[in-house]
Amino acid sequence: MTLQSNANKNPKSSSRRKFLIRGSIGTIGVLALGTYVFRNPLRRTVLEMAETLVPPYSGSGTEANLWFEITNENSIILHSPKVEMGQGTFTGLAQIVADEMEVNMNQVMVKAAATDTGIVDGMSTGGSLSIAQLFQPLREMAATMRLMIHQEAAGLLGVAVEAVSISNGVFSGGGKNLTYAEVASKIKEWKLPETPELKPISSYKYVGKPVKRIDQLAKIKGEPVFGMDASLPNMLHATVIRPEHVGATLKSVDTTNAISMPGVVKIIEQEGWVGIIANSFPEALAAKRKVKVEWEKSKEWTEEGIRDLLKVGNGNKMITQKEGATIDSDDPNATIYEFTSPIGAHAQMEPNGAVASVKDGKATVILSTQVIGITQKQVAEALGLEPENVNIICTYLGGGFGRRLNTSHAVQAAIMSREVGRPVKYFFTRKEEFQNDTFRPPTHHIMKGRLTENGSLEHLEHHYASGDVAINSVLMPAAMHSVLGTDVGAMRGGNIMYNAIPNYRAVQWHTTLPFATSWWRSLGLLANTFAIESFIDEMSIKAERNPVEFRLEMLSNDEKGERIKNVIQKAVAMTDFHSDVSNNRAMGLAASIDAGSPCAHVVEVSVTDQKIKVEKVTCVLDCGFAVNPDQVKAQCEGSIIMGISAVLHEKMTLKDGRLYPIIYGAYDMALMKDAPKEIDVHLIQGVDIPLPVGEPPLGPIGAAIGNAVRRITGKRLTDLPLKL
Amino acid sequence: MKISFIINGKNETLEVDGNTPLLWAIRDVLDLKGTKFGCGKAACGACTIHVDGQQVRSCSYPVKYAEGKKITTIEGLSNGSELHAVQQAWEEFVVPQCGYCQPGFIMSTAALLKQIPNPTDEDIDNAIINVCRCGTYYRMRKAIHRAAEIQAEFISSSSVNADK
Ligand code: FES
Ligand code: FES
């Protein structure tokens, strides 16, 4: 079969989407051009989108893209433009393919598309968007693919299209059967049909059901290949020297003692880093200790220095929400609280790294990344190659959480491989992970409010300062910042959702810090909701009001307001929520809406010997249509536990100009003993399309815990991590 | 130096520096990649394996101490195609998310159940101190209790068979 395009024969369809078909012996592929291209949005749209909508899928619209492959064994391989980092996306996508193509779940395999085998997302895998963005386009493409093969099958079987039935990937008609693979191998010229009507969701066998993860058996057996497990023949191992001090730059390097160490192949000096390449990783590491490096330190950064930089009133100011009047700064009836959150580390279990092979003007890089397309561009640029000569292969990710939106190490690995003319594998040590993370930025919040005489909020203001989240990220070109003026990542959860209050506003202060800060699961949501929902709770206490009614009356009657009310009321009903304390145990409530998914938590907290323990979490999430309810629940459980870890345990600090701690344990994280024994997740499907699920449940967790602690101890805790 | 041990039932002899952490011998010399590197400092448990039935953090265990010992990694935990009780329970509760920490947790749990066949929540809290960033602890705890049940069923059924 040769490469051919049917697009021109089908003008109506080609205006929407162009299909190309490619084949080789035994396999065929449908190459589709997505129409779901990010349109250049106006500032207002972006700002709205930043907190409410699912941006359309942003796959490249200029090249032919491979989505499906049919194997001789009659399996369908989906080359997914989104990667699997634990969120269960591959399973959700497989469910969609199985249902629309009428095959069994076990006939579908999902692989992350590599840049030379398929379409990779032009932006990223992140923002909890994979299923939300791909649900509709993937259904359409799978259905079109099925119909195309169905029509061909009818021809081959010599019966009318209507007389052919399909089940489990086998077409039957006229007393004969043909598999997908058999039809595909006989097709000479593909005829692209119009996209057929999609099946009603209610008729799906897999979509909407708690299907088991397709990757779990392999993961239980330790089989999947992560970036750290990749290897290439004749590969060397490397390690890199990078600064420990914040803001330090490389001044001089002395490799005399290191170069003669056993196993060392080459040591290279580059701008800002040194690469040590050896026969094995332990040898590279041993040699690294012998390299003498002098650093230029312009300044010794301290905790206080960072806090001085990062506070409300400092940096770039942007009003992100404004309704009614402001509170006078000297208003005697105003209540004002300050909140802070610390620097947070990603601490994903698989360290960052890459296996690279650069030879004869071509590069291959294997790694765990959330930004395959961007990594390709960066490597190509650094090596002076055309992007099509750089192939990026993404493995399973040992956690993402936003850390793998920055993959500058791919470039370093490629340079080292070019220098030694052999494949090179290199990855971060855990100390390097902690000291050179792209951290969750610290934040500072000032909440202001004023009650009416009847105890309702008439004024509410959220002023918040944050380091970079979206700004300075590869995902946000610099031009976007001047258009937006605000950091849309730091803004997540920063606006007030209580739109029935007559006067409210949100004001962002943005500062770029001397160390890299960036995306961390849920972005600004965790800290912003902590501040807002703690303050709301405090105001309800001040007003001597029931915290549930107090909240409900401030929510508007539009669709968004009703959906938020709904999750709150459901969580309250499920738990018989009350404000009583018994045996140093009490409940706390908080809610938020993130990317269109409202979430409410009621937590039960105990305090023993000044130690805060979360005993039970009841979570109600309106996630729209749940493609896989069990995996949505898994995402809620994971978000809740990661949230508890951030809220009660985690904190990076500056000491001697360096970021600490540098190891698990010292970087205190929630372990088995800290995870609640009961997590009760209830899903509401308030709209009929899938909405983001992997981050929204991180919103309310901090305030819900703080609000419970307030009931037990009478103390309002205002700084994360919460300590008594 | 030359080091010999039995790993997953197979005799292996390696020529390595005796101070090399066992983890790297397993991963890079024997190419068994199921045992993971997370920290290299015995702080996360991703590299947990069994040495003579005891759980060991292989990143901090010099390979020379493995001389003559019996090592089991995640690849050797199941009995042929039959999954180990812990793996069966893990599958039942759909525990893994990213999966990177999971071999370490599964090996730790298997070792725990050998020592304490029916662990209480407190036993679990004390013994299972690995790190999972995806936060799968909630399902893991349920799966650990379930694994204890599966193991007990297996033991009682095999003793019934033995009686016959
Ligand atoms: S890698 Fe061995 S304990 Fe972390
Ligand atoms: S499943 Fe991802 S770290 Fe545990």
Side-chain angles (χ1 to χ4, degrees):
Chain A
M1 270 173 270
T2 49
L3 190 75
Q4 44 186 278
S5 165
N6 288 294
N8 299 337
K9 297 177 193 157
N10 202 328
K12 192 164 168 224
S13 174
S14 72
S15 65
R16 284 198 59 232
R17 177 179 302 128
K18 203 161 35 166
F19 274 73
L20 291 169
I21 292 121
R22 170 174 86 178
S24 60
I25 301 153
T27 69
I28 64 124
V30 171
L31 299 121
L33 287 183
T35 48
Y36 301 86
V37 177
F38 206 104
R39 269 174 222 106
N40 263 348
L42 296 172
R43 176 166 171 264
R44 187 176 160 70
T45 330
V46 174
L47 282 181
E48 278 169 5
M49 202 164 72
E51 66 155 7
T52 53
L53 294 175
V54 176
Y57 168 64
S58 68
S60 151
T62 55
E63 312 120 35
N65 309 309
L66 176 68
W67 285 80
F68 304 107
E69 204 180 306
I70 298 173
T71 69
N72 278 336
E73 295 74 39
N74 207 29
S75 292
I76 313 279
I77 301 175
L78 172 69
H79 290 265
S80 167
K82 300 282 187 180
V83 303
E84 177 59 61
M85 50 191 179
Q87 80 282 40
T89 289
F90 278 9
T91 304
L93 299 181
Q95 290 171 262
I96 295 169
V97 171
D99 267 329
E100 277 300 344
M101 294 185 72
E102 303 257 13
V103 294
N104 275 325
M105 273 301 283
N106 60 15
Q107 287 174 282
V108 186
M109 289 185 276
V110 185
K111 287 184 187 164
T115 49
D116 74 345
T117 58
I119 174 177
V120 300
D121 194 297
M123 291 290 279
S124 70
T125 302
S128 315
L129 293 170
S130 299
I131 294 287
Q133 287 179 337
L134 285 177
F135 184 60
Q136 189 64 15
L138 185 59
R139 286 167 75 206
E140 286 178 11
M141 276 186 288
T144 311
M145 175 85 174
R146 181 198 68 231
L147 180 60
M148 186 159 60
I149 306 237
H150 190 145
Q151 289 174 345
E152 293 293 342
L156 290 169
L157 293 165
V159 295
V161 171
E162 302 73 43
V164 176
S165 65
I166 169 167
S167 103
N168 300 336
V170 178
F171 296 90
S172 311
K176 284 180 287 182
N177 294 330
L178 283 173
T179 64
Y180 263 101
E182 285 164 343
V183 179
S185 65
K186 293 200 176 75
I187 290 176
K188 298 220 169 55
E189 192 189 354
W190 293 85
K191 292 180 203 74
L192 178 72
E194 291 287 320
T195 299
E197 206 174 304
L198 299 177
K199 296 184 184 176
I201 286 176
S202 57
S203 75
Y204 283 139
K205 228 161 84 190
Y206 302 114
V207 171
K209 310 290 187 316
V211 173
K212 292 206 167 173
R213 289 182 71 111
I214 59 170
D215 54 358
Q216 73 156 349
L217 187 57
K219 284 179 173 176
I220 287 164
K221 298 201 295 193
E223 288 169 353
V225 172
F226 294 87
M228 277 292 294
D229 306 326
S231 62
L232 287 170
N234 201 25
M235 180 177 83
L236 294 170
H237 296 260
T239 183
V240 158
I241 298 182
R242 45 166 66 77
E244 291 182 7
H245 280 82
V246 171
T249 50
L250 202 56
K251 198 164 136 195
S252 71
V253 183
D254 177 357
T255 59
T256 334
N257 296 334
I259 194 75
S260 54
M261 290 287 286
V264 174
V265 174
K266 194 166 184 173
I267 300 182
I268 64 165
E269 288 173 45
Q270 294 281 313
E271 190 156 339
W273 57 279
V274 181
I276 297 111
I277 307 148
N279 287 325
S280 73
F281 176 65
E283 285 167 329
L285 216 50
K288 182 184 193 172
R289 292 185 205 108
K290 302 278 181 191
V291 179
K292 287 200 201 104
V293 183
E294 256 190 280
W295 300 97
E296 183 78 58
K297 287 168 253 166
S298 54
K299 180 172 175 165
E300 182 129 317
W301 283 98
T302 61
E303 197 68 16
E304 296 69 42
I306 298 296
R307 280 284 158 211
D308 281 348
L309 261 186
L310 193 117
K311 60 183 177 201
V312 170
N314 195 34
N316 183 27
K317 178 185 177 183
M318 180 79 196
I319 298 171
T320 58
Q321 201 185 23
K322 184 162 103 179
E323 188 66 47
T326 42
I327 302 182
D328 286 342
S329 52
D330 53 355
D331 185 336
N333 294 319
T335 303
I336 300 176
Y337 270 80
E338 281 189 50
F339 297 87
T340 65
S341 76
I343 307 163
H346 285 92
Q348 81 291 341
M349 295 305 299
E350 184 206 351
N352 283 292
V355 175
S357 171
V358 179
K359 226 180 163 178
D360 308 330
K362 285 202 188 321
T364 301
V365 184
I366 313 172
L367 81 170
S368 298
T369 176
Q370 292 175 255
V371 282
I372 301 181
I374 292 170
T375 305
Q376 182 191 36
K377 276 191 211 124
Q378 288 176 335
V379 171
E381 208 166 284
L383 299 183
L385 297 176
E386 290 303 318
E388 56 265 29
N389 289 327
V390 176
N391 187 27
I392 307 293
I393 300 169
C394 181
T395 58
Y396 277 107
L397 280 65
F401 316 115
R403 176 61 186 93
R404 299 186 208 277
L405 293 166
N406 182 327
T407 50
S408 47
H409 44 273
V411 170
Q412 294 173 322
I415 291 175
M416 289 191 278
S417 169
R418 183 188 63 191
E419 292 302 309
V420 291
R422 282 171 68 178
V424 166
K425 172 175 188 167
Y426 123 81
F427 52 87
F428 286 48
T429 63
R430 188 48 64 180
K431 177 181 171 191
E432 289 165 343
E433 279 289 337
F434 276 110
Q435 285 191 322
N436 302 273
D437 197 356
T438 50
F439 298 94
R440 187 184 72 227
T443 59
H444 174 226
H445 312 252
I446 297 180
M447 297 296 312
K448 297 184 190 178
R450 197 177 69 194
L451 293 165
T452 62
E453 280 175 8
N454 324 329
S456 295
L457 258 186
E458 57 176 349
H459 275 280
L460 180 62
E461 295 185 10
H462 178 217
H463 303 255
Y464 60 107
S466 170
D468 296 345
V469 176
I471 287 181
N472 288 322
S473 150
V474 287
L475 292 181
M476 282 273 158
M480 283 290 256
H481 308 148
S482 49
V483 183
L484 299 171
T486 185
D487 189 309
V488 291
M491 193 182 127
R492 287 278 280 270
N495 282 357
I496 306 286
M497 67 179 182
Y498 297 106
N499 298 153
I501 302 175
N503 311 291
Y504 56 88
R505 64 179 46 215
V507 184
Q508 181 187 92
W509 297 85
H510 168 261
T511 302
T512 295
L513 296 172
F515 49 87
T517 64
S518 188
W519 321 84
W520 189 99
R521 192 178 191 176
S522 92
L523 321 183
L525 179 73
L526 178 88
N528 288 330
T529 311
F530 164 64
I532 297 173
E533 284 289 284
S534 296
F535 185 74
I536 293 286
D537 193 62
E538 200 54 42
M539 293 308 278
S540 77
I541 293 171
K542 191 173 157 92
E544 296 177 12
R545 300 273 310 276
N546 171 313
V548 181
E549 284 159 25
F550 187 72
R551 283 181 170 83
L552 294 179
E553 78 174 19
M554 297 187 293
L555 287 160
S556 52
N557 297 326
D558 55 8
E559 191 200 324
K560 177 180 158 192
E562 293 299 336
R563 289 176 63 225
I564 303 170
K565 284 184 209 170
N566 226 347
V567 292
I568 294 176
Q569 282 165 324
K570 182 71 194 174
V572 165
M574 280 171 73
T575 54
D576 281 327
F577 175 78
H578 57 74
S579 296
D580 306 340
V581 182
S582 76
N583 291 327
N584 286 325
R585 209 170 149 135
M587 289 181 178
L589 162 77
S592 61
I593 178 162
D594 181 47
S597 303
C599 180
H601 292 326
V602 169
V603 300
E604 275 181 64
V605 169
S606 67
V607 173
T608 323
D609 301 330
Q610 301 297 94
K611 248 202 107 224
I612 302 165
K613 170 114 212 274
V614 180
E615 306 285 351
K616 177 176 180 181
V617 179
T618 303
C619 160
V620 180
L621 176 73
D622 177 353
C623 57
F625 177 66
V627 170
N628 188 326
D630 180 62
Q631 281 308 298
V632 173
K633 287 184 180 175
Q635 283 301 296
C636 292
E637 293 155 14
S639 289
I640 287 165
I641 291 170
M642 191 165 174
I644 289 171
S645 190
V647 165
L648 293 180
H649 299 268
E650 298 174 29
K651 180 187 169 94
M652 295 295 297
T653 50
L654 275 140
K655 247 193 332 200
D656 320 322
R658 298 177 174 99
L659 279 149
Y660 283 99
I662 55 169
I663 189 72
Y664 290 116
Y667 186 72
D668 183 21
M669 287 162 70
L671 298 181
M672 180 70 84
K673 66 179 167 41
D674 308 299
K677 289 194 187 68
E678 284 180 89
I679 300 181
D680 194 358
V681 179
H682 180 82
L683 303 179
I684 293 180
Q685 311 204 356
V687 290
D688 58 7
I689 50 163
L691 293 174
V693 299
E695 296 173 294
L698 272 155
I701 192 74
I705 296 171
N707 297 345
V709 173
R710 170 73 169 84
R711 297 291 181 293
I712 301 168
T713 64
K715 269 193 227 158
R716 169 59 59 191
L717 298 182
T718 57
D719 302 304
L720 295 181
L722 304 175
K723 299 279 177 215
L724 282 166
Chain B
M1 64 192 282
K2 262 204 171 47
I3 313 231
S4 303
F5 47 69
I6 300 171
I7 181 160
N8 301 333
K10 239 175 95 186
N11 288 308
E12 292 281 2
T13 301
L14 320 179
E15 180 67 56
V16 278
D17 177 343
N19 292 320
T20 301
L22 180 55
L23 172 69
W24 300 114
I26 291 173
R27 283 179 57 84
D28 288 346
V29 183
L30 299 173
D31 199 30
L32 292 168
K33 295 285 175 37
T35 307
K36 304 299 180 193
F37 170 85
C39 67
K41 303 272 184 212
C44 74
C47 63
T48 306
I49 57 166
H50 299 170
V51 176
D52 283 350
Q54 300 288 314
Q55 62 166 314
V56 157
R57 293 190 163 179
S58 63
C59 68
S60 306
Y61 187 96
V63 67
K64 61 188 175 200
Y65 297 142
E67 175 62 41
K69 302 219 162 109
K70 264 175 85 177
I71 298 171
T72 308
T73 68
I74 187 76
E75 290 89 347
L77 186 66
S78 54
N79 185 0
S81 63
E82 180 166 357
L83 294 177
H84 186 276
V86 177
Q87 291 170 310
Q88 288 178 37
W90 246 243
E91 199 187 9
E92 197 177 317
F93 283 92
V94 196
V95 175
Q97 290 193 20
C98 84
Y100 196 79
C101 70
Q102 301 289 333
F105 273 96
I106 291 170
M107 296 308 285
S108 293
T109 303
L112 167 68
L113 294 187
K114 236 186 249 173
Q115 241 186 338
I116 310 176
N118 194 11
T120 61
D121 278 332
E122 212 188 326
D123 293 332
I124 293 171
D125 287 347
N126 293 333
I128 305 301
I129 51 172
N130 295 6
V131 184
C132 171
R133 189 44 151 172
C134 296
T136 63
Y137 303 117
Y138 168 70
R139 288 188 185 202
M140 275 187 202
R141 181 186 300 277
K142 294 203 280 191
I144 295 169
H145 287 303
R146 176 71 187 123
E149 267 173 44
I150 296 172
Q151 189 180 262
E153 284 162 21
F154 178 75
I155 291 169
S156 66
S157 72
S158 40
S159 63
V160 169
N161 289 339
D163 289 347
K164 275 182 193 164

